[in-house]
Amino acid sequence: MIDSNANILLIYTGGTIGMVENSETGSLEAFNFSHLTSHIPELQRLNFTINTIVFDPVIDSSDVSTKHWVDLVKIIEDNYHSHDGFVILHGTDTMAFTASALSFMLENLNKPVVLTGAQLPIGKLRTDAKENLITAMEIAADKDITGSPIVPEVCIFFQNYLFRGNRTTKANADNFNAFRSYNYPYLAKSGIHIRYDRNNILPLPEKKVKFHYQMDSHIAILKLFPGINKLVVDSVLQTKNLKAVILETYGSGNAPRIPWFIDALKDAVKRGLLVVNITQCAEGSVEMQRYETGRELLKAGVISGFDLTVEAAITKLMFLIGHRYSKEEITVRMRVPLVGEITRLDEREI
Ligand code: ASP
C-alpha cells in the first residue's frame, strides 16, 4: 500500500540515467538534475512528497570512492527522521559496491533505501530510466497494513526485480536486465503489481538505527589464473600497509598447490594479513574442505567467504577493518551475516 503521506528523499549521484551526449566527442557526460525531472513529468503525479538532493558535482559511478559512501550516509542520517524512504540514483557500474557498502554502514535500518539507475539516458526514446525510477519510488513509499515499511533494507531495483543490495552484481553491460543476485532470491518482482516475497526480506530490526562512517580501503583483490606469476603474487601480498586480500579462486574455492604459492599465503597470514577466499564463479559458494586444493588454503589460514559476492566481501572488510576489530573478531564476523549478505551457517547445505 503506497503511503500517500510519505516523504521520500531522492538522491541523485549521477550515472547514465541523467547523462547527455557531448556533441563533439559523442561520449556520455553527466548533466544536471533538472534534465532528469523534465523528462519524467510522471514524478509529479506520484501522490506522495518527493524531496531531492543532488550531488555536486554529479559523477559517473566509476569515480565513486569511500568518500561518496560517507556523503550518502551523512545525507541519509541528516534526513532520516523526516523521511519514510530513500531512492538513490546511481550509475550502474559500481552500484552493487555502493549498495553493499551502505548495507553495512546503515546498521539496523528500518526504512527502505532503494538504488536504481538506467542503461540508457533518460532522453532516449527507449530508455529504461522512467520505469526503474518510478517503481523504485513506489517501493520506497510502500507500507504494509500495520504502517511499517515493506522493505527495510538497502536494495537495488532494476528491470522489474528488487534485489538485496549486498547480494547483487552487475552482470550485463548491454541489456536492460543488468543486475543479478545469484546466491539469494529476489525480494520483489514488478509487473502489473509489485509482488513482494516477504520471506526473503529482512525483518524490522529491534535496535535503533546506527550510522557508520569508518571504511578502511587497504585491501587488494588477487584473481588467480593458470600460470600466475610469483612476482605478481608476492608484490600484492607484500603491499605496504595492506590489511586484507580477497583471493578470487577457482570453483568451490580451489587454488594451485605449488609450494611457493602456499608459502606466500602462509607468510602473509602470519604477518597478520586477512586472506578471504571468494570463488570466481558467479553462483555457488566456497567449500575449502571439498578438494585437496582447497584444504591447502584452509591449512594456510585463509578465511572462507562462502557465498559472498566480491562487492559484499570487499565492503564488509572495509567496514570491519574500519571499525578496528581484531583479526580474530573479523575472522568470525566474515563468516556470519551482518545484514543478510552471506548464507547463515545453520542454513548452509554443507
Ligand atoms: N558509466 C555509467 C556509470 O556507472 C554507467 C551507468 O550509469 O549505467 O555511472
Side-chain angles (χ1 to χ4, degrees):
M1 195 169 42
I2 299 198
D3 175 7
S4 53
N5 293 319
N7 282 323
I8 303 301
L9 185 65
L10 178 60
I11 306 165
Y12 177 51
T13 67
T16 296
I17 194 163
M19 287 181 172
V20 281
E21 223 165 67
N22 179 314
S23 51
E24 280 168 26
T25 64
S27 64
L28 291 171
E29 289 174 355
F31 200 67
N32 68 27
F33 191 69
S34 57
H35 176 76
L36 187 79
T37 38
S38 67
H39 279 89
I40 314 189
E42 290 90 339
L43 278 178
Q44 273 130 38
R45 288 178 38 211
L46 290 170
N47 62 351
F48 46 82
T49 309
I50 303 169
N51 298 311
T52 50
I53 289 185
V54 182
F55 264 32
D56 182 18
V58 289
I59 49 165
D60 185 296
S61 80
S62 302
D63 287 324
V64 161
S65 69
T66 53
K67 178 204 167 289
H68 298 101
W69 298 338
V70 165
D71 291 347
L72 281 169
V73 173
K74 183 80 181 89
I75 292 173
I76 293 174
E77 177 170 15
D78 288 348
N79 292 279
Y80 199 71
H81 297 293
S82 51
H83 289 83
D84 298 273
F86 302 83
V87 172
I88 301 174
L89 290 178
H90 194 287
T92 57
D93 290 346
T94 62
M95 191 186 291
F97 288 90
T98 296
S100 300
L102 292 181
S103 75
F104 301 117
M105 297 167 86
L106 302 170
E107 191 181 344
N108 301 324
L109 186 69
N110 61 2
K111 297 184 179 182
V113 173
V114 189
L115 286 97
T116 195
Q119 290 281 65
L120 272 182
I122 195 80
K124 296 274 180 191
L125 210 51
R126 290 190 311 106
T127 185
D128 50 334
K130 217 180 240 195
E131 153 66 19
N132 286 348
L133 174 53
I134 291 172
T135 311
M137 297 293 285
E138 290 196 350
I139 291 168
D142 238 356
K143 303 239 168 106
D144 65 17
I145 43 170
T146 70
S148 301
I150 298 183
V151 195
E153 53 175 295
V154 178
C155 39
I156 289 183
F157 179 78
F158 222 86
Q159 182 75 16
N160 300 334
Y161 286 96
L162 184 71
F163 300 114
R164 173 166 300 156
N166 58 33
R167 291 286 194 155
T168 312
T169 295
K170 182 172 179 182
N172 200 309
D174 295 330
N175 290 355
F176 285 150
N177 60 350
F179 289 91
R180 294 284 189 289
S181 168
Y182 290 105
N183 285 331
Y184 194 77
Y186 57 79
L187 309 184
K189 185 174 185 327
S190 77
I192 294 176
H193 303 284
I194 302 171
R195 303 252 182 238
Y196 295 95
D197 193 332
R198 299 201 66 177
N199 294 325
N200 299 337
I201 298 173
L202 289 172
L204 274 173
E206 282 160 17
K207 293 193 185 144
K208 227 175 126 233
V209 62
K210 229 168 141 183
F211 302 93
H212 295 276
Y213 292 95
Q214 300 81 13
M215 297 293 268
D216 189 325
S217 58
H218 289 90
I219 301 170
I221 298 181
L222 180 58
K223 184 167 185 161
L224 299 181
F225 57 90
I228 192 165
N229 191 288
K230 182 174 183 315
L231 273 179
V232 173
V233 171
D234 286 345
S235 66
V236 172
L237 294 179
Q238 285 165 24
T239 306
K240 202 167 159 239
N241 294 333
L242 194 69
K243 297 179 181 158
V245 172
I246 291 175
L247 195 62
E248 276 201 49
T249 57
Y250 310 125
S252 50
N254 304 310
R257 279 179 299 169
I258 190 158
W260 67 257
F261 179 73
I262 299 294
D263 289 346
L265 288 177
K266 280 187 186 154
D267 174 64
V269 172
K270 215 188 277 163
R271 282 186 283 114
L273 208 68
L274 291 148
V275 184
V276 178
N277 189 344
I278 299 289
T279 173
Q280 294 178 14
C281 296
E283 191 168 346
S285 51
V286 164
E287 292 174 57
M288 285 190 279
Q289 316 81 318
R290 195 150 158 191
Y291 294 95
E292 195 48 40
T293 42
R295 279 180 191 274
E296 289 289 336
L297 298 182
L298 205 56
K299 280 192 253 163
V302 172
I303 305 162
S304 171
F306 197 65
D307 62 354
L308 285 173
T309 60
V310 169
E311 293 89 334
I314 200 154
T315 52
K316 187 172 180 177
L317 280 167
M318 284 181 182
F319 175 81
L320 294 173
I321 298 170
H323 285 75
R324 298 174 185 276
Y325 288 111
S326 69
K327 195 182 164 199
E328 291 67 35
E329 284 170 315
I330 296 178
T331 304
V332 171
R333 284 180 159 83
M334 281 307 287
R335 299 177 64 223
V336 295
L338 302 182
V339 268
E341 73 283 1
I342 189 170
T343 301
R344 284 157 48 122
L345 286 168
D346 57 356
E347 287 175 349
R348 295 181 191 175
E349 280 161 15
I350 51 158

